[in-house]
Amino acid sequence: MYAGLNIRALLDNLQSTPRHELAQGDDLYGLAGTLQLVCTLATAPVFIVWFYRVRVNAEGFARDVCTMNRAWAVGAWFVPIGNLWLPYRFAKEVWDASAQATADGAWREVSRRRVSAWWTTWIAALVVSRAGAALYRNPETPHALQQATSVVMLSDLLDIAAAVLGILFVRKLSRMQQVSPGS
């Protein structure tokens, strides 16, 4: 966010900004993007392994709720276009299966809002990120570059929100699976 704000400020004063400051701002923006990619590549495998494990655990709670083969808990993330909804479908099934029976044998209702909020925000971040990248690729004016930067910054904010919601989803689902049936 800082790098994006910096680029926008430099472009606001384009006539009076020395070239080396523009180059430094561009380098900082590139470095920030690289760091964001490295963090994503470092955390994605950890999340996918966790996702697979909670899917396997869910079978022990309610096998009939889990309709797709457990291997797809990993594979679904790599299916072009299908990765926009298949992991969400898995997440909902695992969430539902993890809502274990209460002491009297009744099924515990657990709202899916947390799952839906995380997934919707994550998909929105992806869409806005693609739009920002397309705008950033070939801006014809400094104003167009500022607009592209603003769209990329919006994507970054959505990424942050999706990450926070993802953490809340992981924590809640992990707690749901740690509660023993009948508790």
Side-chain angles (χ1 to χ4, degrees):
M1 292 301 298
Y2 171 78
L5 290 171
N6 184 49
I7 286 287
R8 287 191 48 82
L10 291 171
L11 291 170
D12 274 340
N13 302 312
L14 189 59
Q15 300 298 333
S16 62
T17 303
R19 249 188 215 285
H20 75 278
E21 285 185 31
L22 289 171
Q24 286 175 337
D26 191 47
D27 289 347
L28 177 63
Y29 199 64
L31 176 63
T34 300
L35 289 174
Q36 186 175 4
L37 177 62
V38 166
C39 288
T40 299
L41 292 175
T43 57
V46 173
F47 177 81
I48 291 172
V49 167
W50 171 85
F51 197 70
Y52 176 78
R53 287 183 176 172
V54 295
R55 169 55 179 84
V56 170
N57 291 346
E59 290 177 14
F61 299 129
R63 181 177 294 275
D64 59 321
V65 174
C66 301
T67 61
M68 296 173 67
N69 184 297
R70 67 169 68 167
W72 279 101
V74 174
W77 293 95
F78 301 99
V79 175
I81 301 176
N83 61 6
L84 298 176
W85 80 85
L86 287 173
Y88 174 65
R89 181 176 162 192
F90 266 92
K92 287 190 314 182
E93 287 183 358
V94 169
W95 188 269
D96 289 346
S98 300
Q100 304 156 29
T102 61
D104 65 357
W107 198 253
R108 181 173 54 150
E109 288 293 323
V110 181
S111 171
R112 289 186 187 161
R113 283 190 307 247
R114 195 169 294 200
V115 181
S116 298
W118 158 64
W119 191 258
T120 302
T121 307
W122 188 71
I123 293 296
L126 286 177
V127 170
V128 174
S129 175
R130 300 275 166 111
L135 291 171
Y136 201 79
R137 214 169 284 119
N138 295 310
E140 304 215 357
T141 65
H143 180 70
L145 184 56
Q146 278 185 314
Q147 287 180 322
T149 303
S150 294
V151 173
V152 171
M153 289 171 56
L154 174 59
S155 168
D156 291 340
L157 286 174
L158 287 168
D159 277 336
I160 292 167
V164 169
L165 291 168
I167 290 167
L168 295 173
F169 163 69
V170 166
R171 292 180 59 151
K172 176 67 174 176
L173 183 54
S174 294
R175 278 193 312 272
M176 286 167 57
Q177 289 197 347
Q178 289 173 355
V179 174
S180 61
S183 296

